[in-house]
Every structure is written in structure tokens, then in C-alpha cells.
Amino acid sequence: DPRFYRREVPRSLADLATMTGTRPAREAEAGLLISDIGQIETAEKGDIVYVADVAFMPALQASKCSACITTETLATDVPANCAVLISAD
């Protein structure tokens, strides 16, 4: 909500990885710019989402997000058009 939170400038996937202790699944995507955090069902291009359970994979398949944070196990099921940051947990 812009009334309460100041929107940051877009950050690269590599910057977000450093900030969150994650790592890009595909190094070629490290320069991808992310402008906001989104909910999986309403995310748009430029948004990143968090996927912690296989139950959300169908929603991720339909999502318009540019990237997601997920586990190593779930990363193999992320659609090719979605960049991935892998989290230990």
C-alpha cells in the first residue's frame, strides 16, 4: 500500500539474492530487474513471489510473475519463463 510503504527502485535478481541469502538457479538471469513483491495469483511482470509448497505450483504456472523464491526441490517445477532464486528453507 503506497500510503504506508515507500516503493524501492527496481533491483536485480543478483542483488535480491545477496539481500535474502538465496542464489539464482540460472546465472544468466542474475541481471533481471525486479520492481515489486507480488501475490502469486495477482503478480505482474517485474514482480517476485514466494513459493513454499508444491500445492502452489499450478498457480505459479498461471502466474505472470517474473521470478520466484523457492526451494531446490521445487525449483525443478518452475516454468521456464520464471527466474528462480533458490532458498535453503
Side-chain angles (χ1 to χ4, degrees):
D1 187 332
R3 296 173 298 168
F4 300 105
Y5 302 101
R6 180 177 56 105
R7 180 170 262 192
E8 294 290 326
V9 297
R11 296 190 183 262
S12 72
L13 207 61
D15 288 343
L16 292 175
T18 300
M19 293 169 63
T20 60
T22 59
R23 65 179 170 80
R26 301 176 287 259
E27 287 299 323
E29 297 170 334
L32 177 69
L33 292 179
I34 302 297
S35 56
D36 208 351
I37 300 169
Q39 294 181 8
I40 200 166
E41 297 86 0
T42 59
E44 296 292 331
K45 184 177 178 182
D47 291 349
I48 190 167
V49 301
Y50 177 69
V51 180
D53 192 288
V54 70
F56 293 99
M57 282 303 167
L60 183 61
Q61 295 289 336
S63 182
K64 296 178 185 174
C65 67
S66 292
C68 72
I69 297 174
T70 194
T71 65
E72 183 92 42
T73 303
L74 295 176
T76 58
D77 294 326
V78 173
N81 64 332
C82 182
V84 180
L85 288 180
I86 297 176
S87 174
D89 184 22

